[in-house]
């Protein structure tokens, strides 16, 4: 089942997600839903809270792999960021904040560990786009959005657009 994407203004996006203590059928179903959403809408990455699940999980498709048949979605459960290195400052957007793109400073490289859907822990070294996506999605699990990381002035300039997104959220109209 494809769930609706939660938009800016929805309070679940501001909650700290709960760690997953047991990977059971319910968690596997939620992971599957996240992956299905990515594939259906041909998106890159998505965190659990964005589909209304306040749990520490995110998914992404390795779009940097040239062979498109090998871009199988990856599921990351209970991710823990271990090391950061370097800086990148690239334009970012968010499915929960449609049509807004701003440059965000992130570490260029991040080392992290996470469990897969079978509960197995694995360590990853992510650079550039992969690294940025991991940091963006990890932030979602902490209730942080990318617009929190831009300058106060830029955020002020976006107030009108953000209010509009938040008001459509209240009416239950999904424009994402
Ligand atoms: Zn996002």
């Amino acid at each position: 089942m494809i769930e609706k994407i939660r938009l800016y203004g929805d309070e679940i996006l501001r909650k700290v997600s709960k760690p997953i203590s047991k990977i059971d059928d319910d968690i596997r179903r939620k992971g599957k839903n996240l992956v299905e959403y990515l594939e259906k809408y041909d998106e890159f990455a998505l965190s659990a809270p964005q589909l209304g699940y306040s749990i520490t999980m995110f998914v992404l498709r390795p779009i940097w792999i040239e062979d498109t048949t090998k871009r199988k979605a990856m599921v990351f459960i209970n991710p823990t960021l271990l090391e950061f290195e370097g800086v990148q400052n690239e334009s970012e957007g968010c499915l929960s904040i449609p049509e807004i793109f701003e440059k965000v400073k992130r570490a260029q490289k991040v080392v992290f560990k996470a469990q897969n859907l079978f509960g197995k822990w694995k360590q990853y070294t992510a650079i550039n786009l992969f690294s940025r996506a991991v940091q963006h999605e990890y932030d979602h699990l902490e209730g942080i959005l990318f617009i929190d990381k831009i300058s106060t002035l830029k955020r002020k300039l976006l107030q009108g657009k953000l209010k509009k997104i938040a008001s459509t959220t209240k009416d239950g109209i999904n424009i994402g």
Side-chain angles (χ1 to χ4, degrees):
M1 190 191 112
I2 300 279
E3 315 242 7
K4 267 191 187 173
I5 193 98
R6 302 299 182 98
L7 294 178
Y8 176 82
D10 191 314
E11 62 182 31
I12 199 163
L13 296 176
R14 289 310 194 178
K15 273 189 177 170
V16 176
S17 293
K18 258 179 74 183
I20 295 165
S21 53
K22 191 169 167 261
I23 301 166
D24 55 14
D25 285 349
D26 180 54
I27 296 296
R28 277 188 285 272
R29 180 184 63 81
K30 286 169 177 165
K32 212 179 133 222
N33 285 347
L34 288 166
V35 169
E36 268 179 22
Y37 190 96
L38 277 194
E39 285 170 351
K40 184 176 178 193
Y41 296 103
D42 200 20
E43 297 292 356
F44 170 35
L46 186 67
S47 67
Q50 290 176 281
L51 283 197
Y53 316 135
S54 197
I55 50 172
T56 52
M57 171 161 62
F58 66 79
V59 296
L60 70 82
R61 292 196 306 160
I63 56 172
W64 53 88
I65 294 176
E66 272 186 37
D67 183 350
T68 52
T69 61
K70 288 187 178 151
R71 290 179 184 176
K72 212 171 167 292
M74 301 159 88
V75 178
F76 302 100
I77 292 170
N78 295 327
T80 312
L81 307 187
L82 303 168
E83 283 172 43
F84 301 91
E85 206 182 294
V87 181
Q88 54 175 324
N89 191 23
E90 300 292 334
S91 184
E92 243 172 70
C94 178
L95 291 171
S96 295
I97 313 173
E99 288 164 35
I100 291 178
F101 296 88
E102 291 290 341
K103 281 198 168 184
V104 181
K105 256 192 198 153
R106 304 266 187 202
Q108 197 193 5
K109 178 176 141 184
V110 63
V111 178
F112 70 104
K113 62 173 186 175
Q115 285 172 284
N116 64 16
L117 278 173
F118 304 101
K120 199 172 173 242
W121 286 96
K122 207 180 150 187
Q123 189 166 309
Y124 302 85
T125 300
I127 56 161
N128 302 335
L129 185 59
F130 185 15
S131 170
R132 198 159 70 240
V134 167
Q135 292 169 77
H136 179 118
E137 302 312 326
Y138 183 85
D139 276 352
H140 272 300
L141 307 181
E142 302 262 285
I144 298 166
L145 300 171
F146 84 97
I147 47 159
D148 302 343
K149 305 208 155 186
I150 63 175
S151 72
T152 316
L153 177 67
K154 277 192 178 156
R155 204 163 44 244
K156 265 190 189 148
L157 293 172
L158 291 173
Q159 270 327 305
K161 280 186 181 176
L162 290 172
K163 269 190 187 152
K164 209 174 150 203
I165 297 169
S167 68
T168 54
T169 300
K170 279 196 190 101
D171 294 340
I173 299 162
N174 188 0
I175 56 168

mmCIF file of all heavy atoms in Angstrom, residues 50 93-96 136-137 140 146, ligand 1:
data_model
loop_
_atom_site.group_PDB
_atom_site.id
_atom_site.type_symbol
_atom_site.label_atom_id
_atom_site.label_comp_id
_atom_site.label_asym_id
_atom_site.label_seq_id
_atom_site.Cartn_x
_atom_site.Cartn_y
_atom_site.Cartn_z
ATOM 1 N N GLN A 50 8.444 10.422 7.016
ATOM 2 C CA GLN A 50 7.790 11.061 5.866
ATOM 3 C C GLN A 50 6.581 10.277 5.367
ATOM 4 O O GLN A 50 5.737 10.815 4.668
ATOM 5 C CB GLN A 50 8.790 11.275 4.729
ATOM 6 C CG GLN A 50 9.811 12.356 5.051
ATOM 7 C CD GLN A 50 10.834 12.489 3.955
ATOM 8 O OE1 GLN A 50 11.761 11.706 3.864
ATOM 9 N NE2 GLN A 50 10.659 13.491 3.104
ATOM 10 N N GLY A 93 16.758 19.432 -1.857
ATOM 11 C CA GLY A 93 15.307 19.551 -1.756
ATOM 12 C C GLY A 93 14.791 18.447 -0.871
ATOM 13 O O GLY A 93 15.553 17.579 -0.441
ATOM 14 N N CYS A 94 13.496 18.471 -0.585
ATOM 15 C CA CYS A 94 12.906 17.475 0.301
ATOM 16 C C CYS A 94 11.494 17.173 -0.183
ATOM 17 O O CYS A 94 10.734 18.086 -0.496
ATOM 18 C CB CYS A 94 12.874 18.026 1.717
ATOM 19 S SG CYS A 94 12.112 16.910 2.907
ATOM 20 N N LEU A 95 11.143 15.885 -0.224
ATOM 21 C CA LEU A 95 9.797 15.496 -0.673
ATOM 22 C C LEU A 95 8.710 16.081 0.220
ATOM 23 O O LEU A 95 7.590 16.281 -0.223
ATOM 24 C CB LEU A 95 9.676 13.969 -0.677
ATOM 25 C CG LEU A 95 10.500 13.238 -1.734
ATOM 26 C CD1 LEU A 95 10.459 11.745 -1.474
ATOM 27 C CD2 LEU A 95 9.989 13.561 -3.115
ATOM 28 N N SER A 96 9.059 16.370 1.468
ATOM 29 C CA SER A 96 8.066 16.910 2.401
ATOM 30 C C SER A 96 7.962 18.437 2.326
ATOM 31 O O SER A 96 7.100 19.038 2.967
ATOM 32 C CB SER A 96 8.410 16.499 3.834
ATOM 33 O OG SER A 96 8.315 15.095 3.952
ATOM 34 N N HIS A 136 20.839 13.960 5.341
ATOM 35 C CA HIS A 136 19.485 14.540 5.202
ATOM 36 C C HIS A 136 18.441 13.603 5.827
ATOM 37 O O HIS A 136 17.595 14.038 6.608
ATOM 38 C CB HIS A 136 19.191 14.779 3.713
ATOM 39 C CG HIS A 136 17.834 15.341 3.420
ATOM 40 N ND1 HIS A 136 17.643 16.571 2.822
ATOM 41 C CD2 HIS A 136 16.590 14.838 3.627
ATOM 42 C CE1 HIS A 136 16.338 16.791 2.694
ATOM 43 N NE2 HIS A 136 15.672 15.751 3.160
ATOM 44 N N GLU A 137 18.523 12.320 5.495
ATOM 45 C CA GLU A 137 17.540 11.357 6.007
ATOM 46 C C GLU A 137 17.726 11.117 7.507
ATOM 47 O O GLU A 137 16.751 10.979 8.241
ATOM 48 C CB GLU A 137 17.622 10.025 5.242
ATOM 49 C CG GLU A 137 17.396 10.126 3.729
ATOM 50 C CD GLU A 137 16.172 10.942 3.326
ATOM 51 O OE1 GLU A 137 15.161 10.912 4.051
ATOM 52 O OE2 GLU A 137 16.229 11.633 2.303
ATOM 53 N N HIS A 140 15.985 13.724 9.399
ATOM 54 C CA HIS A 140 14.537 13.484 9.504
ATOM 55 C C HIS A 140 14.202 12.650 10.744
ATOM 56 O O HIS A 140 13.196 12.882 11.405
ATOM 57 C CB HIS A 140 14.017 12.728 8.270
ATOM 58 C CG HIS A 140 13.619 13.625 7.133
ATOM 59 N ND1 HIS A 140 12.630 14.574 7.245
ATOM 60 C CD2 HIS A 140 14.063 13.706 5.858
ATOM 61 C CE1 HIS A 140 12.484 15.204 6.077
ATOM 62 N NE2 HIS A 140 13.346 14.704 5.225
ATOM 63 N N PHE A 146 15.852 20.193 6.335
ATOM 64 C CA PHE A 146 17.003 20.889 5.731
ATOM 65 C C PHE A 146 16.882 22.407 5.813
ATOM 66 O O PHE A 146 17.872 23.111 5.878
ATOM 67 C CB PHE A 146 17.265 20.399 4.289
ATOM 68 C CG PHE A 146 16.439 21.059 3.223
ATOM 69 C CD1 PHE A 146 16.942 22.122 2.482
ATOM 70 C CD2 PHE A 146 15.160 20.615 2.942
ATOM 71 C CE1 PHE A 146 16.199 22.732 1.493
ATOM 72 C CE2 PHE A 146 14.394 21.223 1.955
ATOM 73 C CZ PHE A 146 14.901 22.285 1.231
HETATM 74 ZN ZN1 LIG B 1 13.660 15.312 3.327
#
